[in-house]
Amino acid sequence: MLTAPNAAEIQDVAPPEPQPGHVVVDVHRAGICGTDIEFYTGEMAYLHSGHAAYPMRIGHEWMGTVSAVGDDVDASWLGVRVTGDTMLGCGVCRRCLRGRQHVCEFRYEVGIRGGWHGALAEKVAVPVGSLHRLPDSVDDATGAMVEPGGNAFRAARGADLAPGDRCLVLGPGTIGLLSARFAQAAGAEVHLMGRSERSIAFAGSLGFDGVWTQDELPDLPWDAVIEASNAPHLPERALELVEPGGRVVYVGLAGVPSVIDTRQLALADVTAVGILSASPGLAGTIEAYASDAVDPRPLIAATVTLEELPAILAGERPAGAGAGPKFHVAI
């Protein structure tokens, strides 16, 4: 539970009961995301807009086994290994009825928005319609990487890559690295640009075609640029780098507004794509993981317990942790 900025603790809470249309999942594995860190520090925008408030239970990257179902839910869900959509729309508005519940104005977000309890707990309750089954070929660690993978899957799809295209990913964090992996799976030549020595060194170990600092970046024609950083100046830089007629995908979010020159966008006939949420990409991500077209597990630096989690949120890296950007909690 997060109780205030920079305050996290383990609490005993009442277990959730399955309501009509809902299930309870025994959580096996959950991931820590940059959004969780922002909630811990108090910087997350939802805390200031009224969409979230302390105390709150975070956690939106998860997998587990269905252990209880509501009265009107098919009992065949019991015992099924699942992950779930973070975005829970109202189900009746125009956006929801068009399959865009992830941008529903009235949506809840598991562990993020509207007070819906997250999965950094022994159990989480979610609507049955938000569930995605995990095949046996997707292990627990991989299953908890489906949610971040869905964002990356959509980013790579948004880049509309063909075999032989050259793609540049800005920001070698979890989403950037996974976007690069999905771009590789599409047959593209993939490069990344980063800043810190650790992230650049780690990205360089994953077999991409090039990993660069901003000063070292070669002058190459980039058919697509995926902007996956939190740097406010890089959205503009992405537009400067992409080839005329190419695509820029914006999946990273800075803490302050970024500015681009739309004249440059129009005069170069560039397509700009914005990505919010893994929702439309969850099924495709599970399929890619199950077929081993993309393996997200090398990004996991360490797996810790709930009791060790407050220190991770405060920025500590446990002894023996790998160089990857992702931490998991085994529950």
Side-chain angles (χ1 to χ4, degrees):
M1 295 291 295
L2 302 184
T3 56
N6 302 302
E9 60 187 51
I10 307 300
Q11 294 183 3
D12 287 324
V13 299
E17 297 291 336
Q19 302 300 314
H22 292 65
V23 304
V24 174
V25 177
D26 289 350
V27 180
H28 296 170
R29 201 59 96 87
I32 305 304
C33 167
T35 299
D36 300 317
I37 302 296
E38 289 185 0
F39 275 122
Y40 175 78
T41 62
E43 297 171 295
M44 209 296 176
Y46 283 169
L47 290 168
H48 307 285
S49 67
H51 290 304
Y54 300 116
M56 63 181 300
R57 191 185 310 165
I58 56 174
H60 60 280
E61 303 175 1
W62 58 272
M63 65 76 55
T65 301
V66 177
S67 59
V69 299
D71 291 339
D72 58 346
V73 175
D74 191 333
S76 66
W77 278 104
L78 289 169
V80 175
R81 296 173 66 250
V82 296
T83 187
D85 199 340
T86 298
M87 307 300 212
L88 309 179
C90 70
V92 297
C93 72
R94 186 173 186 268
R95 296 173 193 173
C96 286
L97 294 176
R98 294 187 170 205
R100 297 173 182 161
Q101 90 286 344
H102 60 294
V103 289
C104 170
E105 181 181 355
F106 311 105
R107 70 185 180 273
Y108 292 91
E109 297 179 25
V110 176
I112 296 176
R113 173 173 162 145
W116 197 288
H117 294 311
L120 283 164
E122 293 171 326
K123 297 176 182 289
V124 65
V126 293
V128 67
S130 71
L131 297 180
H132 288 258
R133 295 173 183 262
L134 294 176
D136 291 341
S137 56
V138 175
D139 64 16
D140 287 2
T142 307
M145 293 291 285
V146 169
E147 198 280 339
N151 286 277
F153 175 89
R154 293 189 64 213
R157 282 291 179 93
D160 195 26
L161 296 164
D165 282 352
R166 183 180 289 119
C167 177
L168 175 64
V169 179
L170 307 181
T174 297
I175 301 301
L177 291 169
L178 287 173
S179 297
R181 290 239 177 202
F182 280 107
Q184 276 186 323
E189 176 187 327
V190 180
H191 298 246
L192 290 96
M193 189 183 86
R195 185 174 55 186
S196 76
E197 290 184 10
R198 186 177 69 196
S199 64
I200 289 174
F202 177 70
S205 73
L206 297 178
F208 298 114
D209 294 285
V211 181
W212 316 94
T213 66
Q214 184 163 308
D215 293 336
E216 297 169 338
L217 186 68
D219 185 15
L220 295 173
W222 308 105
D223 299 299
V225 179
I226 298 174
E227 206 293 285
S229 79
N230 60 2
H233 71 285
L234 286 184
E236 179 183 23
R237 184 67 179 137
L239 184 55
E240 294 169 351
L241 289 167
V242 71
E243 277 285 277
R247 287 183 167 237
V248 176
V249 178
Y250 293 112
V251 66
L253 291 174
V256 296
S258 300
V259 177
I260 64 171
D261 186 344
T262 57
R263 295 171 300 179
Q264 187 172 356
L265 183 79
L267 294 174
D269 200 32
V270 168
T271 299
V273 179
I275 300 294
L276 170 73
S277 153
S279 300
L282 294 173
T285 300
I286 292 170
E287 182 179 346
Y289 288 175
S291 68
D292 207 30
V294 172
D295 183 1
R297 290 171 294 186
L299 277 64
I300 303 170
T303 301
V304 302
T305 65
L306 273 177
E307 288 72 22
E308 295 172 290
L309 181 55
I312 302 294
L313 293 171
E316 296 183 20
R317 291 184 74 87
K326 179 63 65 177
F327 287 94
H328 273 185
V329 178
I331 301 171

